[in-house]
């Protein structure tokens, strides 16, 4: 087990490994506010590689503590931009799912016979329902939950979607009848429900990382998504890197709220990317490709 270290000891350790502490007061405050472990994810790209390809504890020449702190601040603002877009997308999909599926039955989410039967037979729906009941229990003190449970015994779907997280919402969407999936996807210019399912899974991962203060800018998107062939520009992006998902958020928002200036704020933020003197990190590390600003997606 590693030993506890004071802030001064932490700074001393970083210096011994070749990190320049040119702004000691700022460096100390950063360690006090954000913590050594959290910041370590932001100075990791500045570490030197050994001859065998493993990463050493030593930093590249001309690595400054301010580089890691600037990168953390950049990432924090990036997470806030992601949450801003994903909140709008999530709320819109709550309404869409509740409206179209609720038309078939007020409690359609609790009637497995209305869903794709393969998810009932393989146990996916049962697991989803158990998770739903967990959300219901945790939200039990909310007035709207109490009222609907007391008045009707169950919450209708247009109430139930309010207590789901993005992951549970995406799983419900995946189990919906395919005709409903297609109608919802088509509303946003998406070819079919298959792409929408993938996008929602990826958005859920980005949202979770953003909400839990995890590193986002160069994260690996495990639940990666493909894009329809007509989205030629976005198809140039790496499906494992986060820039693709900011592109997909922008595409979605263009349909959902065309007057939004979110893309301008994101574009300006990418322009503010910190550029360390030793060039250890660049925007390409998050999947940004050359010429992206000229795409129709980012204009306007």
């Amino acid at each position: 087990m590693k030993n506890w270290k004071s802030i001064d000891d932490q700074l001393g350790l970083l210096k011994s490994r070749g990190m320049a502490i040119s702004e000691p007061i700022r460096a100390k405050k950063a360690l006090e506010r954000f913590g050594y472990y959290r910041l370590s994810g932001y100075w990791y790209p500045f570490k030197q590689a050994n001859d065998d390809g493993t990463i050493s504890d030593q930093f590249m020449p001309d690595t400054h503590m301010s580089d890691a702190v600037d990168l953390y601040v950049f990432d924090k603002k990036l997470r806030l931009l992601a949450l801003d877009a994903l909140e709008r997308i999530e709320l819109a999909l709550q309404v869409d799912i509740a409206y179209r599926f609720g038309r078939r039955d007020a409690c359609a989410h609790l009637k497995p016979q209305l869903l794709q039967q393969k998810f009932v037979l393989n146990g996916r729906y049962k697991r989803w329902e158990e998770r739903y009941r967990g959300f219901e229990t945790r939200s039990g003190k909310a007035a709207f939950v109490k009222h609907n449970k007391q008045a009707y015994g169950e919450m209708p779907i247009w109430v139930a979607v309010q207590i789901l997280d993005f992951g549970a919402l995406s799983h419900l969407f995946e189990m919906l009848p395919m005709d409903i999936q297609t109608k919802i996807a088509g509303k946003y210019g998406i070819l079919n429900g298959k792409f929408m399912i993938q996008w929602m899974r990826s958005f859920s991962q980005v949202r979770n990382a953003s909400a839990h203060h995890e590193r986002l800018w160069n994260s690996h998107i495990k639940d990666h998504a493909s894009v329809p062939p007509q989205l030629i520009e976005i198809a140039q992006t790496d499906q494992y890197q986060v820039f693709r998902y900011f592109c997909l958020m922008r595409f979605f928002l263009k349909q959902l709220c065309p007057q939004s200036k979110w893309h301008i704020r994101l574009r300006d933020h990418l322009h503010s990317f910190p550029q360390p003197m030793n060039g250890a990190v660049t925007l390409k590390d998050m999947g940004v490709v050359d010429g992206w600003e000229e795409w129709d997606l980012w204009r306007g």
Side-chain angles (χ1 to χ4, degrees):
M1 183 66 68
K2 292 185 177 181
N3 295 326
W4 177 90
K5 287 182 173 58
S6 69
I7 297 296
D8 287 335
D9 289 340
Q10 293 171 21
L11 285 173
L13 179 62
L14 292 170
K15 286 180 182 178
S16 73
R17 292 175 173 175
M19 180 181 282
I21 313 294
S22 51
E23 300 175 78
I25 295 176
R26 186 187 183 210
K28 194 168 185 177
K29 285 183 177 178
L31 288 170
E32 290 171 345
R33 289 178 60 198
F34 311 132
Y36 184 99
Y37 182 76
R38 188 176 300 280
L39 285 173
S40 67
Y42 295 92
W43 61 58
Y44 183 85
F46 295 89
K47 289 188 172 183
Q48 296 187 51
N50 295 314
D51 292 338
D52 62 1
T54 59
I55 302 300
S56 76
D57 286 331
Q58 295 299 309
F59 293 101
M60 299 176 188
D62 218 8
T63 293
H64 296 256
M65 177 70 166
S66 58
D67 294 331
V69 176
D70 289 343
L71 193 55
Y72 172 83
V73 172
F74 172 87
D75 196 42
K76 178 181 177 180
K77 293 178 181 177
L78 190 69
R79 293 195 300 269
L80 291 173
L81 283 162
L83 287 172
D84 183 18
L86 292 173
E87 178 185 34
R88 302 186 216 188
I89 294 169
E90 182 178 6
L91 291 176
L93 292 174
Q94 284 180 358
V95 172
D96 291 331
I97 291 170
Y99 181 77
R100 293 196 176 273
F101 200 32
R103 187 174 185 177
R104 301 197 175 174
D105 191 287
C107 287
H109 59 299
L110 299 175
K111 298 193 173 176
Q113 66 270 25
L114 298 179
L115 298 163
Q116 291 186 55
Q117 289 305 292
K118 65 180 180 181
F119 296 112
V120 178
L121 295 173
N122 67 15
R124 279 278 301 276
Y125 173 74
K126 182 175 174 54
R127 292 193 295 274
W128 181 89
E129 186 183 18
E130 289 171 354
R131 189 176 176 193
Y132 167 74
R133 294 302 184 189
F135 286 120
E136 191 178 59
T137 299
R138 290 194 291 275
S139 305
K141 293 184 179 180
F144 74 94
V145 175
K146 281 186 182 174
H147 166 73
N148 280 274
K149 291 290 286 182
Q150 290 170 1
Y152 311 112
E154 295 288 0
M155 290 186 289
I157 190 169
W158 47 86
V159 178
V161 292
Q162 308 299 318
I163 66 171
L164 301 179
D165 63 17
F166 208 154
L169 189 71
S170 68
H171 291 151
L172 177 59
F173 181 87
E174 186 174 359
M175 294 186 290
L176 293 180
M178 295 182 72
D179 64 312
I180 293 181
Q181 291 181 4
T182 300
K183 286 175 183 175
I184 293 174
K187 177 180 175 180
Y188 301 104
I190 301 170
L191 193 61
N192 57 46
K194 174 186 133 185
F195 289 109
M196 177 73 94
I197 290 165
Q198 292 181 5
W199 292 20
M200 288 181 73
R201 284 180 184 166
S202 303
F203 288 163
S204 179
Q205 183 181 339
V206 172
R207 187 191 182 286
N208 288 342
S210 300
H212 294 100
H213 320 293
E214 297 172 10
R215 193 178 71 255
L216 182 63
W217 77 279
N218 67 341
S219 59
H220 177 89
I221 305 301
K222 181 180 68 172
D223 291 319
H224 53 275
S226 54
V227 296
Q230 68 266 31
L231 301 183
I232 299 171
E233 295 170 338
I234 302 178
Q236 300 175 43
T237 60
D238 189 312
Q239 63 184 341
Y240 294 102
Q241 293 184 301
V242 75
F243 182 64
R244 165 167 289 196
Y245 301 96
F246 278 98
C247 290
L248 294 180
M249 287 179 224
R250 167 58 180 155
F251 177 84
F252 211 111
L253 290 179
K254 277 188 83 170
Q255 330 303 318
L256 179 61
C257 36
Q259 302 306 314
S260 170
K261 301 300 181 186
W262 176 86
H263 65 294
I264 295 176
R265 289 187 286 124
L266 177 64
R267 189 176 61 199
D268 291 346
H269 185 55
L270 294 182
H271 288 160
S272 75
F273 185 81
Q275 299 184 17
M277 287 184 283
N278 62 9
V281 294
T282 72
L283 274 175
K284 290 188 177 181
D285 297 323
M286 62 179 284
V288 176
V289 299
D290 292 337
W292 67 276
E293 292 172 278
E294 302 306 313
W295 298 353
D296 289 341
L297 188 69
W298 296 104
R299 291 182 176 178

